Amino acid sequence: MAWIQKQIRLPAFNRGFHLVTREVISELPELSQIEVGIMHVFIMHTSASLSINENADPDVPVDLEMAFNTIAPESLPYVHTCEGPDDMPAHVKASMIGNSLSIPISGGRLCLGIWQGIYLCEHRNRAGGRRLVVTIQGESSQ
C-alpha cells in the first residue's frame, strides 16, 4: 500500500470557476504508478472551494458563477464584513460547495468521467494563490 502526500500551490485566479485538473495532475507524477486507489484533494482556505463539474462547455463556469452569486449575493446584510463585501459571500459559497474531493484512481489515472474536471471555485475578487493538500492512497503497480 502506497501513501503519497504533497502540497500544491495554484496561482492566483480571478473570481469564478476555473478548471485545474491539468495543474493538479502535472504536480503528481507518482499518480502513474498507482494501479488502484483514491486521491483526496483538500483546499486550505475558507473563501474558495473545490468541485467536479463539466469540463467541455465554457458556458458552464459562467453559469455556475452567476448561480452562486444569486444564491449568496454581496447585498445581504452580513455581519462579518471586515474583509470586504465579497468575503462573507465567499465563505457561504465555500461552505455550500465544499473543501475537498475524493477521486478514484485506476491504472495510473484519475477515474473522472469524459466530461468531468476538477474546478477551483474562487469566490474572492482579489485572492492570492491557493494551496491544496493532495493525499493518494493505493496499490502501486511496481
Side-chain angles (χ1 to χ4, degrees):
M1 181 76 60
W3 283 90
I4 301 157
Q5 186 174 76
K6 57 173 57 174
Q7 279 196 31
I8 297 174
R9 182 155 177 88
L10 296 174
F13 283 95
N14 294 328
R15 181 169 162 171
F17 288 69
H18 306 279
L19 277 168
V20 294
T21 312
R22 287 186 184 142
E23 288 88 340
V24 171
I25 291 173
S26 72
E27 295 291 324
L28 299 167
E30 305 92 340
L31 181 65
S32 65
Q33 302 304 311
I34 303 297
E35 189 58 35
V36 62
I38 194 155
M39 180 177 85
H40 183 262
V41 186
F42 175 81
I43 189 165
M44 300 175 71
H45 302 275
T46 61
S47 57
S49 52
L50 297 170
S51 179
I52 293 177
N53 217 304
E54 182 177 325
N55 65 2
D57 187 340
D59 291 339
V60 170
V62 173
D63 288 344
L64 286 168
E65 177 68 9
M66 178 274 304
F68 277 95
N69 287 337
T70 301
I71 293 167
E74 291 182 14
S75 61
L76 290 177
Y78 298 108
V79 175
H80 174 75
T81 60
C82 61
E83 294 182 50
D86 67 330
D87 187 45
M88 192 58 218
H91 294 309
V92 172
K93 295 170 192 176
S95 289
M96 289 191 308
I97 296 171
N99 58 14
S100 67
L101 303 170
S102 292
I103 305 168
I105 301 167
S106 181
R109 300 174 55 114
L110 297 179
C111 292
L112 291 168
I114 191 166
W115 305 115
Q116 290 182 318
I118 301 169
Y119 276 90
L120 167 69
C121 313
E122 179 54 69
H123 306 303
R124 295 299 306 266
N125 291 326
R126 288 174 288 282
R130 299 298 192 170
R131 290 178 298 148
L132 307 176
V133 175
V134 178
T135 305
I136 295 173
Q137 177 187 12
E139 295 292 332
S140 176
S141 58
Q142 294 182 352

